[in-house]
Amino acid sequence: MNKITIAGQPLHTIMSAAPAVLIPFGFILDAMHSATGDEDYAKASYLSMAGGIVGGLAAGVAGVAEYVADKPEGEARHDSQLHAALTAGALLVGAANLVLRRQGTHARGGSLALTALSAAGVLASEYLGRRMSGTEGTAGEHVEAGVHANHEDVRIDHTVTDVEQYVAAGPSSVHPPK
């Protein structure tokens, strides 16, 4: 898979952390505003949502670049398109919420519902994205496969904190298969 990377990590995966964290956090802050009436929570929620939307747009650009470069087929294509649609829908709902808030309507209950809908969409999209990339559990991008210096196959899963796999790989580095 062709991926834009920074320090070996996919750019889209790095950037998707912003909406995956900031938009649900905005919902939590919005719920706290509804419970307490404290305007500081509403302001913080607005900023959190805005940051999540900007981060989501940036992650989307990286995701589209990966999609175009990779040209997935079959189920991978369907899942990629569903992931993009979920993310776009969640960001549109979040943006509509921000526009309504700028008009001073955040005090009504609809804003909390829009924030919840946006957070649910982003979390569902993040779940689907992780499932597609295989970063759930132990398989995925963090698994390094190669051939040891003595020509034995080596697989190191960097998501598991198991020192034995590094010891078993031996003192030399993992070499790419020939």
Side-chain angles (χ1 to χ4, degrees):
M1 192 185 285
N2 299 323
K3 293 191 179 202
I4 302 166
T5 61
I6 294 178
Q9 298 299 315
L11 180 62
H12 176 68
T13 304
I14 293 168
M15 296 180 87
S16 68
V21 171
L22 291 174
I23 292 176
F25 185 60
F27 168 69
I28 292 168
L29 292 169
D30 225 8
M32 292 173 71
H33 165 67
S34 292
T36 65
D38 188 346
E39 286 299 313
D40 288 338
Y41 288 128
K43 291 175 187 172
S45 174
Y46 180 88
L47 293 174
S48 181
M49 293 283 294
I53 290 170
V54 169
L57 291 173
V61 169
V64 167
E66 286 182 11
Y67 180 83
V68 169
D70 192 30
K71 296 181 181 85
E73 297 293 328
E75 187 177 342
R77 181 184 186 113
H78 175 265
D79 287 349
S80 295
Q81 292 171 345
L82 179 59
H83 174 66
L86 276 170
T87 302
L91 294 179
L92 283 173
V93 169
N97 189 6
L98 294 181
V99 168
L100 290 174
R101 286 173 175 229
R102 292 294 288 174
Q103 297 172 354
T105 58
H106 74 277
R108 298 189 189 122
S111 178
L112 181 61
L114 288 176
T115 306
L117 184 60
S118 182
V122 165
L123 291 174
S125 177
E126 180 70 12
Y127 173 76
L128 180 60
R130 287 187 181 274
R131 191 184 71 162
M132 288 176 358
S133 67
T135 55
E136 278 187 322
T138 62
E141 299 169 9
H142 301 287
V143 174
E144 186 176 349
V147 179
H148 193 271
N150 64 2
H151 303 291
E152 292 179 18
D153 288 339
V154 177
R155 290 182 53 83
I156 297 177
D157 182 358
H158 299 292
T159 62
V160 178
T161 56
D162 179 18
V163 176
E164 292 300 319
Q165 67 180 342
Y166 296 104
V167 173
S172 64
S173 62
V174 176
H175 304 285
K178 294 180 183 177

